[in-house]
């Protein structure tokens, strides 16, 4: 299932950008498996070659800090701290601080302490099992982002609680890469980290990047034109298992301890900050269309594309000029949300 996912992501940029003419100068392409997906960096400009290796190194460094399963990671150390204070690196502290803000802002639809529940469903091992209600209720007593104490770079996690930054780690990694590439003098780049796409500048010829929104059934539902933005999608189809005819996916509603069934098939968030996009793509998937629309109207420093399970499409007004439905989705009903 994983390799299937990776292939789909890889096709995203190329199919859609292929028709727009060849850019000035060949790009430097760097690929590496990291954070449970395949990552691909396409860099343009005279400094592209020199930037590629440091960029890959930085990805490996962040993976080494943020993994829940690597016994040498900072998150693993925090999750096995037995309630004692832990000193975090600048990266882990910065990401956790930002993630906790998003947990508060989404009223716990994003909850970075969801790990005991994610593990009980088998999503950490690739397997899958359906825990019963009593087990989930017991585990949910250990889930509450508000009990995470982060003071500067010192984290105190109550005993029994465990962090999972899986919903925001790739978004943060994209932000770090955009800064690194810009500082290295790369003028134009597109970075694909699983379902996350980060664009630095525009294409070398000055036109916007075209990024696909995947259709839940495979192929593409839509295309988005972006410059200097991140586009992050969370979808139930990205990781799931089936048991007794039921589909169980990896995005959990922290209020229920079960996979979020809000009527949405995917949520795509578009904004400059990747961490925000990543956190909100997960959170708005949990909220469902109505709450997501309300949340956008209240806070709106981002745009979104919602694909619902009935095949309906909702976008926010900021995307109106850069969004188009593709292929079989071209005739579907499209709702544009306005403030
Ligand atoms: P992906 O990792 O497939 O791009 P997401 O960004 O939506 O997808 O993150 C999903 C991951 O985040 C899950 O695999 C799990 O580790 C974790 N997670 C699931 N539900 C939540 C939640 N409500 N809040 C925080 N993290 C979650
Ligand atoms: Mg996410």
């Amino acid at each position: 299932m994983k390799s299937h996912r990776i292939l789909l992501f890889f096709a995203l940029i190329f199919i859609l950008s292929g028709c727009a003419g060849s850019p000035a100068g060949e790009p430097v392409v760097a690929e590496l498996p990291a954070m449970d997906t395949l990552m691909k960096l396409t860099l343009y400009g005279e400094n592209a070659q020199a930037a590629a290796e440091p960029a890959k190194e930085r990805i490996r460094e962040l993976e080494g800090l943020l993994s829940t399963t690597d016994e040498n990671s900072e998150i693993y150390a925090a999750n096995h701290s037995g309630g004692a204070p832990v000193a975090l690196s600048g990266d882990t502290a910065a990401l956790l601080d930002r993630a906790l803000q998003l947990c508060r802002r989404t009223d716990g639809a994003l909850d970075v302490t969801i790990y005991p529940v994610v593990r009980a469903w088998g999503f950490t091992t690739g397997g899958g099992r359906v825990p019963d209600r009593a087990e989930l209720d017991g585990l949910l007593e250990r889930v509450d982002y508000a009990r995470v104490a982060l003071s500067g770079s010192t984290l105190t996690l109550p005993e029994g609680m465990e962090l999972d930054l899986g919903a925001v780690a790739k978004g943060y990694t994209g932000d770090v890469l955009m800064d690194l590439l810009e500082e290295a003098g790369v003028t134009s780049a597109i970075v694909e980290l699983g379902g996350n796409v980060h664009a630095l500048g525009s294409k070398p010829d000055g036109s916007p990047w075209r990024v696909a929104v995947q259709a839940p059934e495979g192929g593409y539902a839509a295309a988005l034109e972006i410059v200097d933005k991140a586009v992050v999608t969370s979808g139930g189809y990205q990781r799931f298992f089936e048991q007794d005819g039921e589909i169980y996916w990896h995005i959990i509603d922290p209020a229920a301890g079960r996979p979020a069934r809000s009527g949405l098939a995917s949520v795509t968030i578009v904004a400059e900050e990747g961490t925000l996009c990543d956190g909100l793509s997960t959170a708005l998937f949990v909220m469902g269309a109505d709450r997501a629309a309300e949340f956008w109207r209240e806070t709106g420093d981002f745009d979104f594309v919602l694909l619902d399970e009935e095949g309906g499409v909702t976008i926010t007004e900021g995307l109106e000029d850069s969004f188009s439905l593709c292929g079989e989705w071209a005739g579907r009903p499209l709702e544009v949300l306005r403030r």
Side-chain angles (χ1 to χ4, degrees):
M1 187 177 71
K2 202 170 286 168
S3 57
H4 178 64
R5 243 171 70 193
I6 289 167
L7 281 177
L8 280 172
F9 288 140
F10 260 23
L12 287 187
I13 300 291
F14 287 101
I15 292 205
L16 291 168
S17 59
C19 51
S22 68
E26 284 301 303
V28 172
V29 178
E31 292 177 354
L32 74 162
M35 298 186 180
D36 213 15
T37 187
L38 205 49
M39 300 194 165
K40 177 169 188 166
L41 288 63
T42 307
L43 317 177
Y44 295 85
E46 58 189 54
N47 298 311
Q49 189 65 53
E53 201 45 52
K56 285 166 80 169
E57 210 31 65
R58 197 72 173 91
I59 292 174
R60 289 191 201 100
E61 184 186 7
L62 290 173
E63 179 175 39
L65 292 173
L66 303 174
S67 164
T68 44
T69 48
D70 176 352
E71 295 185 9
N72 298 310
S73 82
E74 279 191 355
I75 295 302
Y76 190 92
N79 289 350
H80 293 81
S81 62
V86 181
L88 300 179
S89 64
D91 277 314
T92 309
L95 173 55
L96 180 58
D97 184 46
R98 185 70 179 120
L100 288 168
Q101 288 170 19
L102 294 170
C103 293
R104 290 189 283 269
R105 199 176 138 180
T106 60
D107 202 16
L110 182 75
D111 192 321
V112 289
T113 63
I114 197 73
Y115 194 59
V117 176
V118 170
R119 185 177 39 219
W121 284 91
F123 289 114
T124 53
T125 51
R129 62 184 279 273
V130 180
D132 66 26
R133 194 62 254 166
E135 181 181 352
L136 290 173
D137 286 342
L139 293 171
L140 284 173
E141 285 173 17
R142 296 158 51 191
V143 174
D144 181 4
Y145 66 89
R147 283 154 63 197
V148 177
L150 180 65
S151 168
S153 58
T154 304
L155 164 69
T156 311
L157 194 61
E159 184 157 20
M161 290 184 69
E162 292 170 278
L163 294 176
D164 176 358
L165 295 180
V168 285
K170 282 180 287 176
Y172 178 77
T173 303
D175 290 335
V176 165
L177 290 174
M178 292 299 106
D179 287 346
L180 181 152
L181 294 173
E182 203 172 357
E183 276 165 29
V186 173
T187 47
S188 167
I190 191 100
V191 168
E192 295 156 82
L193 314 173
N196 298 19
V197 178
H198 295 253
L200 178 67
S202 56
K203 292 206 297 199
D205 67 3
S207 63
W209 302 97
R210 276 170 72 78
V211 176
V213 177
Q214 208 178 313
E217 69 277 13
Y220 309 117
L224 273 166
E225 297 197 331
I226 54 159
V227 173
D228 271 324
K229 289 249 157 75
V231 177
V232 177
T233 299
S234 285
Y237 57 86
Q238 287 174 335
R239 191 177 311 187
F240 62 88
F241 67 91
E242 197 173 338
Q243 191 172 302
D244 301 327
E246 271 287 317
I247 301 274
Y248 299 96
W249 51 54
H250 69 309
I251 303 172
I252 305 290
D253 178 355
R258 301 178 60 82
R261 298 304 297 255
S262 62
L264 292 177
S266 76
V267 175
T268 299
I269 307 284
V270 184
E272 261 167 48
E273 188 200 347
T275 312
L276 174 91
C277 289
D278 207 356
L280 293 188
S281 69
T282 307
L284 269 58
F285 188 94
V286 170
M287 289 180 191
D290 292 346
R291 271 177 72 200
E294 207 177 303
F295 182 83
W296 172 77
R297 287 203 171 93
E298 279 164 11
T299 61
D301 49 348
F302 62 93
D303 280 291
F304 65 57
V305 179
L306 308 180
L307 305 186
D308 68 37
E309 291 190 304
E310 257 73 70
V313 185
T314 306
I315 64 172
T316 50
E317 59 186 353
L319 298 180
E320 221 174 351
D321 297 331
S322 55
F323 177 90
S324 50
L325 289 167
C326 307
E328 286 177 23
W329 284 68
R332 306 264 176 123
L334 174 67
E335 186 185 353
V336 181
L337 291 186
R338 303 188 191 282
R339 283 184 205 285

